[in-house]
Amino acid sequence: DGGITQSPKYLFRKEGQNVTLSCEQNLNHDAMYWYRQDPGQGLRLIYYSQIVNDFQKGDIAEGYSVSREKKESFPLTVTSAQKNPTAFYLCASRAGTAITDTQYFGPGTRLTVL
Amino acid sequence: AQKVTQAQTEISVVEKEDVTLDCVYETRDTTYYLFWYKQPPSGELVFLIRRNSFDEQNEISGRYSWNFQKSTSSFNFTITASQVVDSAVYFCALSEAWDNFNKFYFGSGTKLNVKP
């Protein structure tokens, strides 16, 4: 089945530690995205990548880093510089830049800082 | 400024009632797309519909219908004869031609509670 997988589903981290969230897609999509969702809030864009080896900051990139070494993978690292990292993180992908392309989402990772 | 506004934070209805979720958008582009997504308690966003700026025809899919009105910059979503399984958070989103439709702007969501 084609789709987007995110792992782990739940993640706990101690303050001061970096942690990496995984996002993999087998849809052969060019573009990938990371969003953050806080309780009762909408989605805020962290980073996005339109092609391999290229990515752009979104609206709340501070304290996060990404890489795009392979088309199917777009891992997100939450660094210790992120002051309030507890949130629900959603990864999405999109086929390309065609007018009809839609973003499809993974199941999400819930990160809790202890 | 918010590009997509969903003024209804939370709505509660009783099963079988009809309910309309409002979405107002703001853009200077003449070419854009509007979307609705459903987020059930599990968390994953599920794509429901995409509409382009040149097509103002209403769309119906089963119990779901969408009303797109450029004159009021609105793209409202109606669920007819609501069911408990419709309980979720619903997001409206906008993408624009100026950046090749790459960025999606999401509203803050409307939480729908359907009670039996």
Side-chain angles (χ1 to χ4, degrees):
Chain A
D1 266 15
I4 303 169
T5 57
Q6 291 186 244
S7 60
K9 188 170 183 177
Y10 297 95
L11 189 55
F12 298 90
R13 177 196 113 173
K14 292 182 181 179
E15 270 195 60
Q17 286 182 337
N18 291 357
V19 63
T20 298
L21 281 60
S22 167
C23 178
E24 304 277 330
Q25 54 98 0
N26 60 4
L27 301 167
N28 200 32
H29 284 177
D30 287 319
M32 297 186 74
Y33 305 78
W34 274 106
Y35 292 90
R36 169 182 171 140
Q37 186 179 26
D38 293 286
Q41 305 286 318
L43 279 67
R44 292 187 289 170
L45 182 64
I46 305 172
Y47 268 98
Y48 63 103
S49 167
Q50 294 176 266
I51 56 172
V52 174
N53 292 323
D54 187 49
F55 47 83
Q56 289 78 39
K57 292 182 179 180
D59 302 318
I60 56 165
E62 186 175 348
Y64 300 97
S65 66
V66 293
S67 62
R68 188 84 188 277
E69 296 175 4
K70 298 186 295 183
K71 186 175 185 177
E72 58 270 23
S73 178
F74 191 41
L76 173 74
T77 297
V78 185
T79 74
S80 55
Q82 168 51 234
K83 297 304 177 192
N84 186 20
T86 295
F88 186 53
Y89 291 86
L90 284 157
C91 178
S93 71
R94 181 165 171 257
T97 56
I99 190 169
T100 56
D101 290 342
T102 295
Q103 286 191 21
Y104 295 95
F105 285 80
T109 292
R110 200 166 297 276
L111 172 65
T112 303
V113 174
L114 304 171
Chain B
Q2 277 275 73
K3 281 186 174 283
V4 177
T5 301
Q6 295 180 255
Q8 304 150 308
T9 306
E10 188 165 353
I11 301 175
S12 292
V13 298
V14 176
E15 211 170 15
K16 298 184 183 176
E17 283 185 12
D18 298 347
V19 59
T20 295
L21 309 182
D22 297 333
C23 173
V24 173
Y25 63 92
E26 182 181 330
T27 181
R28 293 183 180 180
D29 247 319
T30 56
T31 304
Y32 53 90
Y33 267 79
L34 295 162
F35 304 80
W36 276 96
Y37 287 84
K38 175 182 180 179
Q39 186 178 40
S42 61
E44 181 174 350
L45 262 75
V46 177
F47 165 70
L48 295 178
I49 189 172
R50 175 187 62 236
R51 207 89 183 122
N52 77 61
S53 52
F54 300 110
D55 184 359
E56 283 192 77
Q57 276 195 336
N58 290 339
E59 180 146 347
I60 298 174
S61 176
R63 296 183 298 105
Y64 294 172
S65 63
W66 291 269
N67 181 271
F68 176 30
Q69 290 194 338
K70 290 176 77 170
S71 60
T72 56
S73 297
S74 65
F75 185 45
N76 296 338
F77 173 29
T78 297
I79 302 175
T80 303
S82 59
Q83 300 176 2
V84 173
V85 292
D86 296 326
S87 296
V89 180
Y90 291 86
F91 290 95
C92 181
L94 164 75
S95 67
E96 300 167 301
W98 70 270
D99 75 340
N100 288 324
F101 310 97
N102 200 42
K103 289 180 75 172
F104 280 36
Y105 300 91
F106 285 86
S108 54
T110 296
K111 184 176 183 182
L112 175 64
N113 302 305
V114 181
K115 301 175 184 176

